[in-house]
Amino acid sequence: MLSIRNLSVQRAGRAVLQDVSLGIKDGEIVGLLGANGAGKSSLVMAIAGDLPVSDGSIELDGRSLRGLPPEVIRRRGVGVVPEGHPVLDPLSVRDNLRAAGSMLRSSELEAEIASTLQMFPELTARLSVAAQNLSGGQKQMVCIAQALIARPRILLIDELSFGLAPVVVVRLGQTLRRIVQRGVGILLIEQFTTLALSLASEVHVLERGRLGFSGSPQALRENPEILQGAYLASGAAARATATLGRDLT
């Protein structure tokens, strides 16, 4: 289990996370919702070792991750799918996947690539294609595959649906269900609500760096004013707030 207790983080002298506590168990999806600027990506970066923590603890199976370099945290079992589905553009899909498994022996790496391609058969025919020539959905598949190749216990996925067509988002949601069946725990960070509420067993709402809600998806559906208030208080775009009523039905 990944356990985060009373976590506080500052960026450029400003508090971006304050007293945040949550946990992710093996084989479950936990949703993290909130408007742009609420602190969702900062939480991912802090867990992954890319942002220093000013207070609180981050532990995986009781072992502290706080202050460790990102590569050590990755080897300990925390994988990250960053926002915006970044890939190594000039490299082929195959070389993108190989780059993600640099800590594995050659035979292990090829086995992990083969296993991961079972999740994303669409990529098999694109292995020799430069990543820059992929669609947005295919790039997101490559990013998730890269994280899986490192054999994570916990997967942090930042804005899975960003910039993707609804049909692709549905396809990726199905893949997340298959990933948790392997025993991997997922923290799914989303600005919008539909996907997270349909997949998660527990949901948290960040509002200006603090948790404004922690509970079941059903409880959030029954109290839509919680999420509406979080988006409005964070100055979210009109498009985001306009979708809330539709998403929560």
Side-chain angles (χ1 to χ4, degrees), residues 28-43:
E28 76 167 1
I29 298 176
V30 173
L32 183 65
L33 305 175
N36 286 335
K40 305 187 301 296
S41 293
S42 294
L43 178 60

Side-chain angles (χ1 to χ4, degrees), residues 97-102 104-114 149 151:
L97 299 181
R98 285 174 173 164
S102 58
L104 302 176
R105 293 193 297 268
S106 178
S107 59
E108 292 177 324
L109 175 56
E110 293 306 316
E112 288 300 324
I113 290 175
I149 283 171
R151 301 172 176 171

Side-chain angles (χ1 to χ4, degrees), residues 148-205:
L148 291 176
I149 283 171
R151 301 172 176 171
R153 290 276 311 283
I154 300 291
L155 198 56
L156 314 176
I157 304 180
D158 196 357
E159 301 291 3
L160 178 77
S161 63
F162 180 77
L164 302 181
V167 65
V168 176
V169 175
V170 170
R171 163 72 176 86
L172 293 176
Q174 295 169 345
T175 300
L176 297 195
R177 289 191 174 97
R178 294 177 63 192
I179 291 172
V180 295
Q181 288 174 356
R182 294 183 172 188
V184 178
I186 294 177
L187 180 63
L188 178 62
I189 292 89
E190 272 292 321
Q191 180 179 355
F192 301 107
T193 60
T194 306
L195 181 67
L197 292 179
S198 68
L199 293 174
S201 58
E202 183 178 8
V203 182
H204 303 273
V205 179

Side-chain angles (χ1 to χ4, degrees), residues 6-249:
N6 307 117
L7 192 71
S8 295
V9 173
Q10 293 189 350
R11 300 182 73 171
R14 181 177 67 88
V16 293
L17 293 172
Q18 300 178 66
D19 200 30
V20 172
S21 296
L22 57 87
I24 304 103
K25 298 177 183 177
D26 296 344
E28 76 167 1
I29 298 176
V30 173
L32 183 65
L33 305 175
N36 286 335
K40 305 187 301 296
S41 293
S42 294
L43 178 60
V44 173
M45 295 173 69
I47 297 171
D50 291 318
L51 270 183
V53 173
S54 55
D55 198 10
S57 64
I58 305 171
E59 296 181 349
L60 181 61
D61 293 336
R63 300 175 67 192
S64 176
L65 301 180
R66 180 174 170 177
L68 297 178
E71 190 56 36
V72 174
I73 293 174
R74 185 167 177 257
R75 288 200 300 267
R76 290 275 182 93
V78 178
V80 179
V81 179
E83 181 181 1
H85 36 78
V87 293
L88 301 172
D89 282 340
L91 299 185
S92 68
V93 171
R94 184 183 296 278
D95 286 342
N96 266 267
L97 299 181
R98 285 174 173 164
S102 58
M103 79 291 292
L104 302 176
R105 293 193 297 268
S106 178
S107 59
E108 292 177 324
L109 175 56
E110 293 306 316
E112 288 300 324
I113 290 175
S115 175
T116 301
L117 288 174
Q118 292 178 6
M119 290 277 187
F120 302 108
E122 301 96 324
L123 296 180
T124 302
R126 310 285 283 170
L127 286 174
S128 61
V129 175
Q132 61 192 3
N133 296 324
L134 300 178
S135 67
Q138 290 168 339
K139 288 180 179 179
Q140 187 69 298
M141 292 178 190
V142 171
C143 289
I144 298 173
Q146 287 176 316
L148 291 176
I149 283 171
R151 301 172 176 171
R153 290 276 311 283
I154 300 291
L155 198 56
L156 314 176
I157 304 180
D158 196 357
E159 301 291 3
L160 178 77
S161 63
F162 180 77
L164 302 181
V167 65
V168 176
V169 175
V170 170
R171 163 72 176 86
L172 293 176
Q174 295 169 345
T175 300
L176 297 195
R177 289 191 174 97
R178 294 177 63 192
I179 291 172
V180 295
Q181 288 174 356
R182 294 183 172 188
V184 178
I186 294 177
L187 180 63
L188 178 62
I189 292 89
E190 272 292 321
Q191 180 179 355
F192 301 107
T193 60
T194 306
L195 181 67
L197 292 179
S198 68
L199 293 174
S201 58
E202 183 178 8
V203 182
H204 303 273
V205 179
L206 263 181
E207 181 179 343
R208 294 181 177 178
R210 293 183 179 272
L211 286 180
F213 171 86
S214 297
S216 70
Q218 184 59 34
L220 193 56
R221 291 189 186 97
E222 293 172 353
N223 297 276
E225 67 279 1
I226 295 172
L227 195 56
Q228 289 172 336
Y231 275 61
L232 290 168
S234 299
R239 184 171 68 88
T241 57
T243 63
L244 290 175
R246 180 171 68 250
D247 286 350
L248 289 168
T249 58

